[in-house]
Amino acid sequence: MSRTARPALPSVTRCLAELGENLRLARLRRKLTASLVAERAGMTRPTLRAIERGDPGVTLGSYANVLHCLGLERDLAEVARDDALGRKLQDAELAPARPPNRKQARARDDR
Protein backbone atom coordinates (compact mmCIF):
# COMPACT_ATOMS: atom_id res chain seq x y z
CA MET A 1 0.00 0.00 0.00
CA SER A 2 1.50 3.33 -1.01
CA ARG A 3 1.56 6.23 1.36
CA THR A 4 0.12 9.50 0.09
CA ALA A 5 1.64 12.65 1.44
CA ARG A 6 -0.37 15.77 1.86
CA PRO A 7 1.08 18.86 0.23
CA ALA A 8 2.85 21.24 2.57
CA LEU A 9 1.19 24.51 3.47
CA PRO A 10 2.45 27.51 1.49
CA SER A 11 4.11 29.11 4.52
CA VAL A 12 5.86 25.81 5.33
CA THR A 13 7.01 25.52 1.72
CA ARG A 14 8.51 29.02 1.90
CA CYS A 15 10.27 28.25 5.20
CA LEU A 16 11.75 25.03 3.83
CA ALA A 17 12.90 26.80 0.68
CA GLU A 18 14.65 29.40 2.83
CA LEU A 19 16.20 26.69 5.01
CA GLY A 20 17.41 24.82 1.94
CA GLU A 21 18.95 27.96 0.48
CA ASN A 22 20.65 28.72 3.81
CA LEU A 23 22.09 25.19 3.89
CA ARG A 24 23.34 25.54 0.32
CA LEU A 25 24.99 28.86 1.11
CA ALA A 26 26.56 27.43 4.28
CA ARG A 27 27.97 24.53 2.23
CA LEU A 28 29.37 26.91 -0.38
CA ARG A 29 30.90 29.22 2.25
CA ARG A 30 32.73 26.19 3.62
CA LYS A 31 33.87 25.31 0.08
CA LEU A 32 32.40 21.81 0.38
CA THR A 33 31.13 20.00 -2.69
CA ALA A 34 27.64 18.56 -2.83
CA SER A 35 29.15 15.11 -3.31
CA LEU A 36 31.24 15.40 -0.16
CA VAL A 37 28.38 16.66 2.02
CA ALA A 38 26.02 14.02 0.65
CA GLU A 39 28.57 11.30 1.39
CA ARG A 40 29.22 12.58 4.91
CA ALA A 41 25.49 12.88 5.56
CA GLY A 42 24.87 9.35 4.30
CA MET A 43 22.63 10.28 1.40
CA THR A 44 22.68 10.60 -2.35
CA ARG A 45 23.40 13.82 -4.22
CA PRO A 46 19.78 13.99 -5.45
CA THR A 47 18.59 13.91 -1.83
CA LEU A 48 20.98 16.72 -0.91
CA ARG A 49 19.78 18.64 -3.95
CA ALA A 50 16.19 18.16 -2.74
CA ILE A 51 17.16 19.45 0.71
CA GLU A 52 18.81 22.52 -0.78
CA ARG A 53 15.63 23.15 -2.78
CA GLY A 54 13.57 22.84 0.42
CA ASP A 55 11.67 19.73 -0.65
CA PRO A 56 9.08 18.93 2.08
CA GLY A 57 9.24 15.22 1.20
CA VAL A 58 12.74 14.81 2.65
CA THR A 59 12.89 13.53 6.21
CA LEU A 60 13.79 15.76 9.10
CA GLY A 61 16.61 13.35 9.90
CA SER A 62 18.18 14.05 6.53
CA TYR A 63 18.02 17.80 7.15
CA ALA A 64 19.60 17.17 10.59
CA ASN A 65 22.41 15.11 9.04
CA VAL A 66 23.26 17.95 6.66
CA LEU A 67 23.23 20.44 9.54
CA HIS A 68 25.62 18.16 11.41
CA CYS A 69 27.97 17.89 8.43
CA LEU A 70 28.09 21.67 8.24
CA GLY A 71 28.70 22.05 11.98
CA LEU A 72 25.29 23.64 12.48
CA GLU A 73 23.54 20.90 14.47
CA ARG A 74 23.15 23.23 17.46
CA ASP A 75 20.88 25.41 15.33
CA LEU A 76 18.36 22.57 15.32
CA ALA A 77 18.17 22.77 19.12
CA GLU A 78 17.05 26.40 18.80
CA VAL A 79 13.88 25.47 16.93
CA ALA A 80 10.85 26.32 19.10
CA ARG A 81 13.08 26.99 22.11
CA ASP A 82 11.46 30.32 22.89
CA ASP A 83 7.75 29.69 22.50
CA ALA A 84 6.33 33.06 23.56
CA LEU A 85 2.75 32.29 22.56
CA GLY A 86 2.82 28.88 24.23
CA ARG A 87 4.19 30.40 27.43
CA LYS A 88 1.47 33.05 27.52
CA LEU A 89 -1.22 30.42 27.01
CA GLN A 90 0.30 28.22 29.69
CA ASP A 91 0.64 31.11 32.13
CA ALA A 92 -3.00 32.08 31.56
CA GLU A 93 -4.07 28.55 32.47
CA LEU A 94 -1.74 28.27 35.46
CA ALA A 95 -2.48 31.61 37.09
CA PRO A 96 -4.74 30.69 40.03
CA ALA A 97 -7.48 33.04 41.07
CA ARG A 98 -6.09 34.25 44.40
CA PRO A 99 -8.58 34.82 47.16
CA PRO A 100 -8.52 38.38 48.46
CA ASN A 101 -6.28 39.14 51.39
CA ARG A 102 -8.34 39.28 54.64
CA LYS A 103 -7.12 42.76 55.45
CA GLN A 104 -8.06 43.98 51.97
CA ALA A 105 -11.50 42.34 52.23
CA ARG A 106 -12.19 44.02 55.61
CA ALA A 107 -11.10 47.39 54.29
CA ARG A 108 -13.57 47.05 51.42
CA ASP A 109 -16.36 45.99 53.77
CA ASP A 110 -15.74 48.95 56.09
CA ARG A 111 -16.30 51.43 53.28
Side-chain angles (χ1 to χ4, degrees):
M1 184 186 307
S2 67
R3 192 174 118 197
T4 58
R6 293 188 178 151
L9 298 171
S11 61
V12 172
T13 302
R14 285 189 297 273
C15 286
L16 286 173
E18 183 178 352
L19 174 60
E21 179 65 12
N22 290 343
L23 290 173
R24 186 182 76 78
L25 292 172
R27 176 179 62 78
L28 294 173
R29 281 191 293 270
R30 288 161 177 72
K31 297 184 182 352
L32 298 173
T33 65
S35 296
L36 181 63
V37 172
E39 182 181 332
R40 288 180 180 176
M43 64 184 63
T44 63
R45 282 186 57 209
T47 302
L48 179 61
R49 195 174 319 119
I51 288 171
E52 291 182 350
R53 279 194 323 262
D55 186 336
V58 179
T59 66
L60 179 59
S62 295
Y63 277 92
N65 285 339
V66 173
L67 284 165
H68 177 75
C69 290
L70 298 173
L72 299 171
E73 66 274 6
R74 289 184 171 242
D75 289 357
L76 191 57
E78 296 298 318
V79 174
R81 174 168 279 179
D82 185 26
D83 181 15
L85 175 61
R87 288 181 194 272
K88 286 179 184 177
L89 293 171
Q90 185 180 34
D91 291 346
E93 267 185 26
L94 296 178
R98 293 176 57 191
N101 189 337
R102 288 185 182 173
K103 289 181 183 178
Q104 291 173 347
R106 275 193 218 140
R108 274 188 254 141
D109 291 340
D110 291 339
R111 289 183 197 163

